[in-house]
Amino acid sequence: MAGLRYVYAVCRPFDTPLQSQLTGVAGAPPGLLRHRGLVAVVSTVPEADFGEEAFQAHLEDPVWLAATVRAHRGVIAALATVTTPLPLRLGTVCEDDSVVRTLLETHEDSFRRVLDRLEGRVEWGVKVYTEPTAAPGSAREPGSAAGAGVPAGPGFAAEPGEAFVRTLHERLAGRAEACRVRVPACTPPGHAARNVLDAAYLVPRVHCEEFVELVDRTRAEEPGVRVELTGPWAAYSFTGEETRYSFTGEEPR
């Protein structure tokens, strides 16, 4: 078959068909490659765009990259409505179907372990923004701020409302099976609101309603704080090292 095989995700066999009008990267419809009790979700992409050197060059083109990311994530979002996918990174490309099968065989045990862990679970994203009250660059004396005595730690910025952020995170983590806290994004010049929490939570589907209600209840607890909830997503943040196999590029955050 002409072209390369683009691999979106690995999952277990499922019976519900994907949307008939679903298209993936480069406009090609995704298909299923079954092997040894696993399924690779694939489509055909042109080597002129997805060979290693070409793909790296395309990463410098924001329009092309944005369209590719949307298509990649669109296929995984469709999968998440019918099964539990293990998403692979943007740009996971194999030479042909035989190489895809080799990928499944080589990492069969680890793929199965991750799929077992993700089964029946989804990812929710939570970001918290605050309006700073201190002058930019002002230092906090130990014990002088809200949440005194609690180190900021990775992913938590020392901002007004930090005690609320810690409490919110502890509550959400208590409802989740796992969480990942990222370093908050830098605030662009001229923007007052600052990102003080950027976290992902792995939540069983049966507990999603409770998780969302908990976020909704906390939105008005702290003046000057904005809480953003996104999801449910496929569990991008909880797939482990298996997403790093056989790819040519990294998925932007």
Side-chain angles (χ1 to χ4, degrees):
M1 180 179 294
L4 302 173
R5 297 300 264 169
Y6 189 104
V7 190
Y8 300 89
V10 175
C11 55
R12 297 189 185 280
F14 57 94
D15 297 325
T16 306
L18 292 174
Q19 305 161 14
S20 59
Q21 301 303 313
L22 181 64
T23 57
V25 171
L32 308 180
L33 192 158
R34 296 175 172 85
H35 188 63
R36 296 171 68 102
L38 293 173
V39 175
V41 182
V42 301
S43 64
T44 302
V45 293
E47 187 172 1
D49 288 323
F50 288 88
E52 185 169 359
E53 291 186 7
F55 183 81
Q56 292 298 329
H58 277 311
L59 292 178
E60 304 300 321
D61 180 347
V63 175
W64 185 94
L65 181 59
T68 302
V69 169
R70 283 195 301 271
H72 175 92
R73 293 182 174 173
V75 170
I76 294 173
L79 279 170
T81 67
V82 298
T83 188
T84 299
L86 190 169
L88 302 188
R89 285 198 174 189
L90 185 80
T92 301
V93 176
C94 294
E95 185 178 356
D96 53 30
D97 285 351
S98 67
V99 178
V100 178
R101 293 188 184 95
T102 299
L103 175 69
L104 294 177
E105 289 183 11
T106 302
H107 306 295
E108 178 179 358
D109 290 344
S110 56
F111 284 152
R112 291 184 186 279
R113 282 195 301 271
V114 176
L115 286 169
D116 285 345
R117 180 163 53 84
L118 299 182
E119 182 65 33
R121 296 158 178 83
V122 293
E123 177 176 328
W124 290 91
V126 176
K127 292 185 178 182
V128 179
Y129 296 86
T130 68
E131 298 288 344
T133 58
S138 61
R140 293 179 181 271
E141 293 297 328
S144 65
V150 181
F156 293 97
E159 294 288 336
E162 65 182 24
F164 166 79
V165 171
R166 281 171 174 66
T167 299
L168 173 62
H169 173 66
E170 289 170 0
R171 290 175 181 173
L172 297 179
R175 299 294 181 91
E177 291 191 354
C179 60
R180 297 285 185 272
V181 180
R182 310 180 185 95
V183 176
C186 295
T187 303
H191 290 250
R194 297 193 180 188
N195 181 201
V196 293
L197 175 66
D198 182 356
Y201 302 88
L202 184 68
V203 181
R205 288 183 183 273
V206 295
H207 296 153
C208 283
E209 185 174 349
E210 298 173 11
F211 186 88
V212 173
E213 288 176 353
L214 177 58
V215 174
D216 288 341
R217 288 198 304 270
T218 62
R219 289 183 190 273
E221 287 185 4
E222 183 79 6
V225 172
R226 184 173 83 253
V227 181
E228 292 186 355
L229 174 69
T230 60
W233 311 108
Y236 286 94
S237 301
F238 303 94
T239 55
E241 293 301 306
E242 288 74 16
T243 57
R244 300 182 183 275
Y245 301 132
S246 183
F247 60 87
T248 59
E250 295 199 3
E251 182 172 2
R253 282 179 50 192

